[in-house]
Amino acid sequence: MFKNARKEDQQRKASERYYSRQKAAEAEGPRKRFRREIIRPLKEAQPIEKRLIFLKPDDGLALERIMGKSDLVGISYLELGLLAARPVCRIQVVNPLGRPEGYGTGFLVGPNLLLTNNHVLYTAELARKSFAEFEFEQDINGRRKVSKSFDLRPDEIFVTDPEMDFTLVSVAPVSTEGTELTDYGLLRLVEATGKVQIGEYVSIIQHPEGGLKQCCLRENEVVDIFDSWLHYVTDTQPGASGSPIFNDQWLVVGLHHSGVPMRDAQGNILKIDGHLYREGIDDPSTIAWVANEGVRISRIFQALESRSENEPMVAEALRRLRSHGTGPVGPAIITAPEPIPSIATELGELPVEHYRLADGYDPDFLGSLHHLPLPRLADNLRSKVAKLKDGSEILTYLHFSIVMNVDRRLAFYTAVNIDGKKLENIKRGRDKWYFDPRLDLKYQAGPKLYEGNPLDRGHLVRRLDPCWGPNAKEAGEDTFHFTNCAPQHGRLNQRDWLEVEDYILKTADNADAKISVFTGPVFREDDMIYRNEYLLPADFWKVVAFVNKNGKLSATAYLRTQKNYLESMEFFDDEFKTWQAPIALVESLTGISFDLPADADPMARAAAGKGLRSQMSNIRRIHSAADIML
């Protein structure tokens, strides 16, 4: 379905490869008929022993098929073909203006990872509006199945290569209809060469012309193998771009990308009737094709490896491809892939005795003259507090405390004391996240919320904030409780609150280098529903209190948002902003009161006499910590 400049360029290059090999073959002897005979052997010999490592030991006819002496396959071949078809999808390409641009084919190759052609999805902007459609096919009774549509997530992974004509893009873990992507399995890619030889037959599962899923079996001879490309005689049509090319073991040996048009001596494209093809006048379906071409899987791995050191997205794509093994031994089709394996995350459980050391938030931390109790929830929120197994309401950890929301399974707020003079820089190890055994699991949003998406476990109490005193290391470990995290887009989470805490600890206005910090999400009734189970907060707040050089209590409040990301499941780089806001605004948004003196907030002092509404509308964009009004 694509007739763009990229597609035409790929066809031109494919023709050049084909005809250069033809000329070399002619120079060696009489001209050979392309469709039935091998043009020439591989320049690098492929010992049959290398091919045998990909075969099952109990397949007695495999060697004969490779040598062209038998077409017999075990009946399980057909069953495996059905499984191999599950991860193959139709790609509906939609341009950034929202207009359909065409169709292609793609297939799942790793956890939430799709492979197709560059000329199908050549920019992240194009992928952002496009989607993958699975089960666009007929059932055994000839009836249309109900297809499932999955959004693409190029902000998570988008890796493309125009020369090799491939694109890897992340896919949403759940369809718009609520189907899990893992239901479709994936095709395991093998890095090693030798998966197919000249003279063998390949099969292609495709969506020709953007239509129902189809498969071309047999009469699909591999007629030539180049360093990076395969040439084969297989029935494909426009729309098949991005299809997997399978050998007899249903291993993917290549990524189909282009037909090879027949040309005359002058290089002009010919039609089926032998006349010149006139672009823009003649029907493209009348072009005479001599072969098809696909890029070899082993070369895709090489291209990724060469870029992985300097491109984090490429490194992550490679990690996902290799997460289920890429060696010759193993299943060709993985029917139930594991969730995306995390490099630095494991689940664990701390003994109940661990929490006996937990002192929690100290309301007199800033001095007895500046008693600052835990925030107070509005009356209508009191019933939503999750009670601990002992009937209490406050989870205490080393130097911080948390109150949980029973409906959201996230914290209403966290409260931490930070002693800047005693802070220790505890090195971060291999993260291990914990459920809190003191609270029923049904009140804690666990790993399921964060699997297979760009949402991070965003610390509410920063890892280093409670790392002071004799148990500094254990205090840092306490921050890795699911009670202390909230779903935040990875790029939001990786951008701190412009290091607000560090700045206030070090400023000359802070008399004792001590602060008390309250943090939490803004809960709204219209927050986005995710996976039919979770409501994702769009905004987060922070309030920092300290004693200034005049001996008075001072407090500042901050807001930041991920609203635009949640609404469109896209990433807008400029939307992750930090704002200094009046504490009264945070109280209004959250229903949480901090019981601070009226003159503690510099934003309120600056707007004194302007009325409450004017004060609450007075927010300040923070570009750097130096912009903070203290």
Side-chain angles (χ1 to χ4, degrees):
M1 292 291 286
F2 288 94
K3 194 62 179 176
N4 53 35
R6 291 173 179 81
K7 178 70 172 177
E8 291 169 359
D9 184 56
Q10 294 294 343
Q11 291 176 352
R12 178 184 57 77
K13 292 177 179 177
S15 288
E16 290 173 356
R17 282 186 283 269
Y18 168 77
Y19 284 102
S20 65
R21 188 61 64 92
Q22 278 280 38
K23 290 178 181 177
E26 289 176 18
E28 294 177 0
R31 183 180 180 85
K32 298 183 178 182
R33 187 166 177 263
F34 186 96
R35 283 195 169 269
R36 292 297 178 208
E37 298 184 35
I38 300 170
I39 295 176
R40 61 181 287 178
L42 275 173
K43 184 177 292 186
E44 297 176 5
Q46 282 189 328
I48 196 65
E49 291 79 9
K50 188 173 185 179
R51 179 69 178 89
L52 293 177
I53 65 174
F54 298 98
L55 307 180
K56 292 184 178 180
D58 57 351
D59 187 352
L61 292 173
L63 181 58
E64 291 190 39
R65 284 196 299 275
I66 293 173
M67 304 302 291
K69 298 177 182 178
S70 175
D71 283 334
L72 292 173
V73 292
I75 197 65
S76 62
Y77 174 84
L78 299 176
E79 187 174 355
L80 283 170
L82 288 175
L83 290 177
R86 292 278 295 165
V88 180
C89 65
R90 180 175 79 157
I91 297 175
Q92 168 72 73
V93 181
V94 181
N95 67 29
L97 298 177
R99 300 191 184 100
E101 191 167 289
Y103 298 97
T105 301
F107 54 104
L108 297 172
V109 292
N112 298 4
L113 191 64
L114 183 90
L115 177 62
T116 187
N117 289 142
N118 164 271
H119 75 259
V120 174
L121 296 174
Y122 43 89
T123 65
E125 289 71 24
L126 192 64
R128 192 169 287 120
K129 295 291 185 181
S130 303
F131 57 90
E133 193 172 3
F134 290 82
E135 295 187 82
F136 188 70
E137 58 195 73
Q138 291 179 331
D139 63 18
I140 59 175
N141 296 311
R143 293 190 295 261
R144 270 280 309 276
K145 292 185 178 181
V146 178
S147 59
K148 310 297 190 302
S149 298
F150 292 78
D151 292 334
L152 303 180
R153 296 284 181 265
D155 298 314
E156 184 179 343
I157 289 181
F158 185 82
V159 177
T160 194
D161 188 317
E163 184 63 29
M164 301 293 285
D165 198 19
F166 72 83
T167 290
L168 286 159
V169 62
S170 191
V171 187
V174 181
S175 74
T176 55
E177 297 82 10
T179 301
E180 297 281 345
L181 186 66
T182 52
D183 289 354
Y184 298 98
L186 56 87
L187 300 173
R188 189 176 69 94
L189 301 188
V190 174
E191 283 188 69
T193 59
K195 296 181 289 291
V196 70
Q197 292 196 346
I198 292 176
E200 281 194 76
Y201 292 91
V202 291
S203 301
I204 296 184
I205 298 176
Q206 57 189 286
H207 283 277
E209 300 286 357
L212 298 175
K213 188 183 295 179
Q214 297 184 41
C215 181
C216 184
L217 295 171
R218 319 313 297 170
E219 291 301 321
N220 312 319
E221 187 179 359
V222 175
V223 293
D224 210 353
I225 300 179
F226 297 80
D227 181 54
S228 300
W229 310 93
L230 300 172
H231 278 188
Y232 40 93
V233 185
T234 307
D235 291 331
T236 61
Q237 290 180 292
S241 294
S243 301
I245 308 166
F246 298 95
N247 66 9
D248 271 340
Q249 289 73 51
W250 290 107
L251 277 173
V252 182
V253 299
L255 170 68
H256 173 73
H257 85 125
S258 176
V260 183
M262 184 176 291
R263 298 177 184 269
D264 63 13
Q266 288 72 43
N268 299 308
I269 297 176
L270 297 176
K271 295 195 295 182
I272 296 172
D273 60 9
H275 292 91
L276 289 181
Y277 168 72
R278 297 164 298 173
E279 187 176 350
I281 300 176
D282 294 332
D283 184 351
S285 65
T286 64
I287 293 176
W289 304 95
V290 292
N292 275 304
E293 184 177 78
V295 59
R296 297 172 63 182
I297 295 300
S298 57
R299 297 307 185 260
I300 291 178
F301 273 104
Q302 287 182 10
L304 293 172
E305 189 67 55
S306 68
R307 296 167 52 183
S308 61
E309 185 174 346
N310 299 316
E311 298 182 52
M313 272 192 179
V314 176
E316 172 62 12
L318 259 180
R319 185 174 72 84
R320 294 193 189 185
L321 287 174
R322 291 169 171 165
S323 65
H324 41 266
T326 59
V329 179
I333 304 141
I334 298 176
T335 55
E338 295 296 320
I340 296 174
S342 173
I343 294 175
T345 303
E346 292 181 352
L347 295 178
E349 186 173 322
L350 294 170
V352 175
E353 291 76 18
H354 168 87
Y355 302 94
R356 291 176 182 170
L357 296 172
D359 51 359
Y361 170 82
D362 179 3
D364 294 316
F365 182 71
L366 299 179
S368 58
L369 297 178
H370 303 290
H371 179 77
L372 187 58
L374 287 172
R376 178 167 44 85
L377 297 175
D379 291 342
N380 66 314
L381 299 178
R382 293 292 311 153
S383 63
K384 296 183 182 297
V385 174
K387 292 187 180 298
L388 280 61
K389 293 177 181 178
D390 64 3
S392 61
E393 297 182 346
I394 300 171
L395 286 164
T396 57
Y397 302 94
L398 283 162
H399 309 324
F400 67 97
S401 299
I402 297 176
V403 172
M404 295 291 291
N405 183 308
V406 68
D407 294 331
R408 297 300 189 97
R409 291 181 277 174
L410 301 172
F412 264 122
Y413 64 80
T414 64
V416 61
N417 304 127
I418 307 175
D419 190 332
K421 293 180 180 179
K422 298 180 181 179
L423 275 175
E424 295 186 27
N425 187 16
I426 303 297
K427 186 177 180 180
R428 186 167 186 161
R430 186 177 178 88
D431 298 354
K432 183 178 287 188
W433 286 85
Y434 306 99
F435 286 107
D436 194 315
R438 299 170 296 172
L439 182 67
D440 197 302
L441 288 181
K442 66 183 179 181
Y443 301 141
Q444 305 178 60
K448 182 181 175 183
L449 169 57
Y450 305 93
E451 288 173 350
N453 55 39
L455 296 175
D456 276 359
R457 299 169 168 96
H459 278 73
L460 295 176
V461 173
R462 293 193 312 172
R463 182 182 67 87
L464 291 176
D465 282 353
C467 291
W468 54 271
N471 302 111
K473 182 177 180 181
E474 290 78 7
E477 188 177 41
D478 270 0
T479 66
F480 287 94
H481 279 81
F482 284 109
T483 52
N484 183 47
C485 67
Q488 296 180 357
H489 186 277
R491 300 203 188 174
L492 173 70
N493 180 44
Q494 292 158 20
R495 297 184 181 193
D496 232 334
W497 292 73
L498 298 174
E499 300 173 338
V500 168
E501 290 101 321
D502 293 340
Y503 178 76
I504 295 177
L505 281 170
K506 295 173 183 177
T507 181
D509 202 44
N510 188 336
D512 300 317
K514 287 184 175 181
I515 58 176
S516 291
V517 181
F518 310 96
T519 309
V522 177
F523 295 134
R524 295 185 174 89
E525 291 184 1
D526 62 349
D527 279 339
M528 173 184 169
I529 299 175
Y530 183 60
R531 292 183 173 173
N532 298 318
E533 186 176 357
Y534 306 98
L535 290 174
L536 300 184
D539 303 307
F540 296 88
W541 58 268
K542 185 183 293 289
V543 172
V544 183
F546 63 99
V547 177
N548 63 30
K549 61 184 179 181
N550 297 319
K552 292 187 175 182
L553 193 64
S554 184
T556 53
Y558 308 89
L559 292 167
R560 64 177 181 173
T561 183
Q562 59 181 0
K563 185 174 187 296
N564 278 13
Y565 160 70
L566 296 178
E567 286 182 346
S568 61
M569 281 302 181
E570 299 174 1
F571 168 60
F572 295 84
D573 186 70
D574 194 42
E575 294 304 324
F576 293 160
K577 301 173 183 177
T578 299
W579 304 87
Q580 185 172 355
I583 293 174
L585 177 58
V586 173
E587 292 178 327
S588 174
L589 290 172
T590 62
I592 298 174
S593 299
F594 299 94
D595 293 324
L596 289 159
D599 63 348
D601 182 4
M603 295 286 284
R605 293 198 302 268
K610 296 182 180 180
L612 181 60
R613 177 173 295 182
S614 177
Q615 291 180 38
M616 290 175 62
S617 64
N618 179 30
I619 62 175
R620 176 186 179 93
R621 174 73 188 278
I622 304 298
H623 297 278
S624 69
D627 294 328
I628 295 173
M629 180 189 294
L630 295 178

